[in-house]
Amino acid sequence: MDDTASMLRGYAWEANTTRAINGRRGQALLRELEAALVALPSKRLESGTFVVNGDVCAIAALAVYRKVLAGCARETAVGQIAALQPYPNYTDYDDIAERVLDFAVNALTVPRVLAWAIMEVNDEDCIGFTPERRYEQVLAWVRARIKGSGSTGR
């Protein structure tokens, strides 16, 4: 019964993720994330952390993008996001993942399953990728899930 319950929870998670991606709110968020990625000055994404030497993960890219749109200088916005990390070179991935997830949900109001999906493609699906290749993969993943032709970077 444990295996069956676990399998059913997995199916429910996948279904909820699909609903979050395909819903109006999810589509708006994916379009905004696409714009945030296209706006990055260096086409690189980091994994397992918010910021490394000015480069960001996908969730941090969204946060920086929103701050810049609100009038904050990019360097200041990146610094504010970097300050959320416990300390430089922190390597407890599980703790960082929880911090990023909580930040996405609470500060950016990203639905939890969608934040998890974005983190998964940024971190887990791109293990061993260069930051440049990770950027390409995440951007392609986002664009593949945007319905219609409303994407900003095409």
Side-chain angles (χ1 to χ4, degrees), residues 19-33:
R19 279 193 288 277
I21 287 170
N22 292 330
R24 187 174 53 224
R25 185 174 170 203
Q27 287 293 297
L29 185 104
L30 289 174
R31 283 189 178 88
E32 185 182 20
L33 179 56

Side-chain angles (χ1 to χ4, degrees), residues 65-135:
Y65 180 75
R66 287 182 179 178
K67 286 178 173 288
V68 169
L69 286 181
C72 188
R74 184 179 191 290
E75 297 75 24
T76 303
V78 170
Q80 290 171 350
I81 302 304
L84 300 171
Q85 296 174 150
Y87 51 83
N89 303 320
Y90 188 64
T91 58
D92 183 346
Y93 176 77
D94 290 336
D95 183 54
I96 292 170
E98 270 305 309
R99 287 173 186 260
V100 173
L101 186 61
D102 288 345
F103 175 76
V105 170
N106 298 317
L108 302 178
T109 65
V110 176
R112 188 171 203 83
V113 295
L114 186 50
W116 187 269
I118 293 165
M119 288 173 53
E120 185 174 55
V121 72
N122 186 91
D123 295 346
E124 301 297 322
D125 294 353
C126 296
I127 289 176
F129 286 22
T130 65
E132 294 83 5
R133 180 73 180 118
R134 181 175 298 106
Y135 170 86

